[in-house]
């Protein structure tokens, strides 16, 4: 079942458009007097993006090999029919939702994903602040069931690229709300601003990639509230523009916690528990922060 | 991305250079200067429950050391934004000519440096040493 034509890499094709949109956003933000960009922050984000590309070239073969191996044992011969592309769009997006949700709910995957949230700015350069350690953390296993179902690995990679390109433009404060029907179905700048915010009521919400319907279906959707502007970053902001620190800080923190852990329960909790878990409850998870806020702030759910 | 095609690397690199030039031209070199009000607001947001009883504001406005009922916290400028750390398990504390240096053992911020008048810096060093 060879590809009927070589599928393009959507991300590589989109790079010139990414650059033009970044330049446009910088100009619009400046014109509006918004404090959207900062040189060292943008440089860090773009370096993370470049590092992600380089590491994909170096290590991406591991995920490809695993996907091809699983595809050898596929349930169905799906092939490259038009309906297969149409069917893969929502299914890949569902896989993305769970990859993203698990990356926020379990510290070992959060360590690979946290760098994407580490900027205290929210602009198109933040979209490019991509992981350096996702392949090593094996976050790609979430997509393997698609290969097992029978979707060709090249088609899955193509759809992942489409999803990544879609998610670029939603990292902006320069687009307000879109028409209601779009906001109801699609992931939009408004929904994704909530996802990047650390306000307790916004924490760990809106995991969607392309379609926001998954969050509505699984109970993780929160709309942006104009009365509560988003504060961007992470609960404990790192305050560093050093790409190495950005990429590795949570891994270093896990290692330090493991060195202090006394039992296997503690070790497992530090690695597989939610970010903020501690055996003595001295730190707070997102759930605990939300619960505390709902007790102290009216409407702080 | 085709690793054998030089354009695969050239286009992103030229793009990054253009974007950074544009950010610099649009005033992206701002640096936050912290004051007491800002530090209090930031502490309230990031460490709810931490009520500062005394503060040492660095002469350059880069960093603020705050004493609360159950320990110390630092508010520091990170470009145009601020971040907060609760201090615990401090390493070396040095004070010399009004320059107070704290080693934190934290991977993201291994040390903080405060400049103040020598007496004030020495008093805070004493308090930090307990």
């Amino acid at each position: 079942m060879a590809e009927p034509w070589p599928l393009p890499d959507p991300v590589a094709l989109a790079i010139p458009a990414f650059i033009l949109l970044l330049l446009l956003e910088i100009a619009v933000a400046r014109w509006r007097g918004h404090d959207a960009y900062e040189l060292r922050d943008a440089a860090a984000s773009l370096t993370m993006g470049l590092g992600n590309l380089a590491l994909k070239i170096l290590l991406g073969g591991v995920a490809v090999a695993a996907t091809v191996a699983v595809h050898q044992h596929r349930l169905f011969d799906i092939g490259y029919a038009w309906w297969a592309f149409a069917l893969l769009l929502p299914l890949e997006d569902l896989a993305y939702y769970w990859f993203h949700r698990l990356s926020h709910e379990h510290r070992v995957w959060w360590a690979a994903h946290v760098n994407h949230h580490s900027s205290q700015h929210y602009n198109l350069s933040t979209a490019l602040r991509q992981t350096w350690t996702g392949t090593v953390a094996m976050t790609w296993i979430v997509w393997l069931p698609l290969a097992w179902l029978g979707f060709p690995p090249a088609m899955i990679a193509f759809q992942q690229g489409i999803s990544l390109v879609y998610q670029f433009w939603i990292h902006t404060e320069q687009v307000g709300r879109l028409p209601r029907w779009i906001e109801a179905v699609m992931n939009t700048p408004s929904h994704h601003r909530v996802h990047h915010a650390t306000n307790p009521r916004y924490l760990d919400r809106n995991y969607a990639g392309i379609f926001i319907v998954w969050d509505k279906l699984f109970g993780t959707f929160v709309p942006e509230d104009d009365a509560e502007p988003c504060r961007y970053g992470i609960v404990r902001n790192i305050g560093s523009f050093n790409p190495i620190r950005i990429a590795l800080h949570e891994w270093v923190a896990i290692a330090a916690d493991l060195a202090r852990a006394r039992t296997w329960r503690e070790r497992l909790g530090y690695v597989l528990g939610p970010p903020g878990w501690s055996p003595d409850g001295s730190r707070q998870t997102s759930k605990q922060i939300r619960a505390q806020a709902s007790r102290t702030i009216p409407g702080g759910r | 991305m085709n690793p054998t095609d030089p354009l695969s690397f050239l286009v992103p690199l030229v793009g990054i250079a253009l974007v950074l030039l544009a950010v610099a031209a649009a005033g992206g070199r701002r640096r936050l200067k912290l004051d007491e009000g800002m530090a209090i607001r930031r502490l309230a947001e990031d460490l709810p429950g931490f009520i500062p009883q005394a503060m040492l504001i660095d002469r350059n406005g880069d960093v603020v050391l705050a004493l609360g009922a159950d320990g110390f916290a630092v508010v520091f400028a990170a470009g145009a934004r601020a971040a907060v750390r609760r201090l615990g398990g401090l390493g070396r504390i040095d004070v010399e000519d009004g320059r107070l240096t704290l080693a934190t053992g934290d991977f993201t911020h291994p040390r903080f440096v405060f400049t103040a008048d020598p007496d004030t810096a020495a008093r805070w060093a004493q308090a930090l040493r307990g």
Side-chain angles (χ1 to χ4, degrees):
Chain A
M1 193 184 11
E3 287 177 55
W5 65 90
L7 287 172
D9 176 354
V11 176
L13 288 178
I15 285 175
F18 287 171
I19 295 163
L20 289 175
L21 285 171
L22 276 156
L23 294 171
L24 179 66
E25 190 194 35
I26 293 163
V28 170
R30 169 78 173 158
W31 178 61
R32 290 175 168 171
H34 290 180
D35 167 29
Y37 274 88
E38 184 180 340
L39 189 59
R40 287 194 297 164
D41 177 82
S45 295
L46 297 172
T47 307
M48 296 301 295
L50 210 56
N52 172 272
L53 274 182
L55 285 162
K56 263 190 188 152
I57 291 168
L58 282 174
L59 303 173
V62 177
V64 172
T67 310
V68 169
V70 169
H71 189 247
Q72 306 286 326
H73 304 281
R74 59 190 172 272
L75 294 178
F76 307 104
D77 270 321
I78 292 179
Y80 288 89
W82 69 267
W83 57 263
F85 282 94
L87 185 59
L88 184 58
L89 172 63
L91 288 181
E92 191 282 332
D93 201 46
L94 176 62
Y96 180 86
Y97 171 88
W98 280 105
F99 143 75
H100 198 187
R101 184 166 170 177
L102 293 171
S103 293
H104 278 256
E105 292 181 345
H106 300 280
R107 196 176 176 200
V108 64
W109 278 12
W110 173 243
H113 181 63
V114 60
N115 64 282
H116 179 63
H117 288 267
S118 60
S119 174
Q120 291 180 259
H121 294 267
Y122 187 74
N123 55 47
L124 292 176
S125 77
T126 313
L128 304 176
R129 194 176 270 234
Q130 292 287 328
T131 183
W132 286 7
T133 54
T135 306
V136 175
M138 294 176 65
T139 53
W140 40 266
I141 61 168
V142 177
W143 282 269
L144 293 182
L146 297 173
W148 183 58
L149 277 173
F151 290 101
M155 192 192 274
I156 297 170
F158 173 75
Q159 186 52 46
Q160 285 175 318
I162 295 282
S163 176
L164 209 64
V165 171
Y166 179 86
Q167 290 177 57
F168 173 76
W169 77 279
I170 60 178
H171 289 83
T172 184
E173 289 191 288
Q174 305 310 319
V175 175
R177 301 268 165 75
L178 297 174
R180 194 174 290 179
W181 69 270
I182 297 179
E183 295 283 348
V185 179
M186 307 300 291
N187 195 10
T188 62
S190 173
H191 298 326
H192 205 59
R193 282 193 286 271
V194 164
H195 177 69
H196 274 259
T198 59
N199 314 46
R201 67 183 295 190
Y202 294 155
L203 267 183
D204 284 2
R205 292 292 181 248
N206 298 4
Y207 295 113
I210 297 176
F211 300 113
I212 197 67
V213 291
W214 306 119
D215 283 289
K216 294 181 175 179
L217 195 66
F218 296 118
T220 49
F221 175 70
V222 167
E224 186 179 27
D225 181 352
D226 292 334
E228 187 168 352
C230 295
R231 290 197 309 274
Y232 302 109
I234 50 181
V235 170
R236 185 175 181 268
N237 284 302
I238 60 173
S240 171
F241 303 110
N242 179 331
I244 305 285
R245 292 191 204 281
I246 292 170
L248 300 180
H249 71 98
E250 191 64 20
W251 293 108
V252 171
I254 290 176
D257 284 338
L258 287 177
R260 272 194 302 269
R262 287 160 303 179
T263 65
W264 279 104
R265 183 186 162 270
E266 289 185 8
R267 288 181 193 110
L268 282 174
Y270 280 133
V271 174
L272 300 177
W277 180 88
S278 57
D280 58 0
S282 58
R283 305 176 198 168
Q284 284 186 306
T285 64
S286 294
K287 203 183 261 185
Q288 290 165 333
I289 293 170
R290 277 201 306 270
Q292 187 183 42
S294 70
R295 286 193 298 271
T296 54
I297 309 166
R301 304 180 276 286
Chain B
M1 181 142 191
N2 178 4
T4 59
D5 179 3
L7 273 182
S8 297
F9 296 96
L10 268 179
V11 172
L13 287 175
V14 170
I16 286 174
L18 281 174
V19 167
L20 295 181
L21 278 173
V23 174
R29 291 172 186 272
R30 298 171 312 281
R31 194 166 168 77
L32 187 69
K33 266 184 106 62
L34 290 164
D35 58 30
E36 191 175 320
M38 250 185 258
I40 290 171
R41 273 198 304 280
R42 198 66 224 192
L43 284 165
E45 280 176 6
D46 284 17
L47 296 178
F50 184 97
I51 312 291
Q53 297 165 347
M55 281 191 190
L56 169 64
I57 301 171
D58 167 61
R59 202 170 268 162
N60 304 316
D62 288 337
V63 57
V64 173
L65 177 59
L67 168 66
D70 57 349
F72 292 89
V74 169
V75 183
F76 60 102
R81 299 283 189 267
V84 173
R85 288 283 180 285
R86 192 183 268 282
L87 294 179
L90 278 173
R92 213 177 140 136
I93 300 165
D94 287 328
V95 61
E96 196 181 338
D97 296 334
R99 192 180 152 89
L100 172 63
T101 307
L102 311 182
T104 63
D106 178 349
F107 177 68
T108 54
H109 261 272
R111 63 182 199 143
F112 289 105
V113 179
F114 304 81
T115 49
D117 72 78
D119 286 347
T120 308
R123 244 191 353 263
W124 277 87
Q126 188 70 29
L128 284 159
R129 289 181 185 124

